[in-house]
Amino acid sequence: MTGEIFRLNPALDVKSLRTRFASANRLRIDEFLAGDMASHLAEALAADQRWVFLINGTSTVFEIARADYDALAPTERNRIEQAVLSAAVRGFQFRYETIRVSDDDSVREASATLLDQFAQFMSSPETLSFIASVTGTEDIVFADAQATRYSPGDFLTRHDDDVDGKHRRLAYVLGLTPEWRTEWGGLLQFTNPEGDVIETIVPRFNALSLFSVPQPHSVSTVAPFAPHARTSLTGWLRSRRADQS
């Protein structure tokens, strides 16, 4: 397979999208991918066995397979849970699952997975040109990517994505959960300097949320009664690659 299997929805109206983005430097683009490729991506990620559970520690990010985490002794798991929740009260904290994608083109091109091929599609000249036209961000040259899965109890506290040396200009989130209700949580929320929520984007299947960096935002906790996880492809559009000075 190659990145050519992915196509932008030809019905997308660049002029209208540009106007919407300019009002707040963010928007959700519904029906982003043409055809049924979003469904194929969702199916591929559901079957993928490479998911790892991420927890932000004091000085490092811990990674463990969700099954191994669930198999921990109850006392050990409870100790970790309490540490995570305590750190989330006033600091940057997260817990969710991920599958990372290499930034190396040769690795992506040699891969047979749809996830790697999607990352190549997001870095393609056509997609970068489309996003530049919508956002007015002319210096983007590369897109990184990862799959993310938020199960009940998972969350991402407020942050702005601005990391020294990463050259992040825009962030994106492609929703791959066929059904999602607002009350299930997992909402992408933007805040003002006072911490008030000024906009909420509800996950939608095959909808690309796109916003400028830096911009304070969070992912609200997925409710314990949510019937399934919130799955997305996420990443940043960068003005330089990691191997460039």
Side-chain angles (χ1 to χ4, degrees):
M1 294 182 179
T2 70
E4 295 176 356
I5 61 175
F6 292 101
R7 292 184 299 109
L8 293 167
N9 179 356
L12 295 175
D13 183 342
V14 172
K15 183 178 180 180
S16 173
L17 295 172
R18 184 187 302 123
T19 299
R20 288 170 49 205
F21 185 87
S23 67
N25 288 325
R26 56 182 175 266
L27 85 165
R28 190 183 71 196
I29 305 174
D30 293 333
E31 300 300 327
F32 178 67
L33 295 175
D36 56 2
M37 288 314 302
S39 295
H40 292 321
L41 276 168
E43 292 167 3
L45 291 177
D48 204 307
Q49 300 299 309
R50 296 175 295 159
W51 292 98
V52 292
F53 191 35
L54 297 185
I55 299 174
N56 190 29
T58 304
S59 58
T60 188
V61 175
F62 295 99
E63 301 184 8
I64 183 173
R66 175 79 77 164
D68 292 341
Y69 181 77
D70 291 342
L72 291 174
T75 53
E76 177 65 9
R77 195 165 63 247
N78 183 66
R79 183 188 67 80
I80 295 173
E81 291 285 331
Q82 292 307 310
V84 169
L85 296 178
S86 177
V89 173
R90 289 184 174 83
F92 176 53
Q93 183 56 278
F94 54 77
R95 47 169 284 178
Y96 60 86
E97 290 172 281
T98 187
I99 302 174
R100 293 194 180 90
V101 176
S102 173
D103 286 353
D104 190 323
D105 284 335
S106 62
V107 174
R108 292 180 177 187
E109 291 169 358
S111 173
T113 71
L114 286 181
L115 180 54
D116 287 273
Q117 299 308 321
F118 175 80
Q120 285 296 84
F121 162 77
M122 288 298 293
S123 286
S124 69
E126 178 190 8
T127 304
L128 293 178
S129 177
F130 168 80
I131 292 174
S133 296
V134 169
T135 65
T137 310
E138 300 290 344
D139 59 347
I140 52 175
V141 298
F142 179 74
D144 57 27
Q146 64 173 321
T148 60
R149 186 164 66 187
Y150 288 73
S151 296
D154 290 348
F155 62 88
L156 175 63
T157 61
R158 188 171 51 167
H159 62 293
D160 65 13
D161 285 347
D162 190 15
V163 178
D164 287 343
K166 293 293 187 180
H167 312 293
R168 295 169 176 172
R169 302 287 280 115
L170 299 159
Y172 72 87
V173 182
L174 178 68
L176 291 176
T177 307
E179 178 195 13
W180 197 261
R181 295 174 62 94
T182 303
E183 57 266 35
W184 295 349
L187 309 176
L188 178 58
Q189 297 186 314
F190 296 88
T191 55
N192 63 17
E194 292 73 39
D196 300 314
V197 176
I198 55 177
E199 185 172 355
T200 296
I201 297 181
V202 179
R204 289 287 181 262
F205 186 74
N206 194 23
L208 187 82
S209 299
L210 187 65
F211 55 97
S212 62
V213 174
Q215 200 163 163
H217 63 282
S218 61
V219 176
S220 64
T221 305
V222 175
F225 53 81
H228 48 249
R230 167 199 185 271
T231 303
S232 304
L233 295 182
T234 71
W236 292 273
L237 295 132
R238 308 192 313 224
S239 60
R240 299 182 189 178
R241 300 182 64 108
D243 56 358
Q244 294 176 319
S245 61

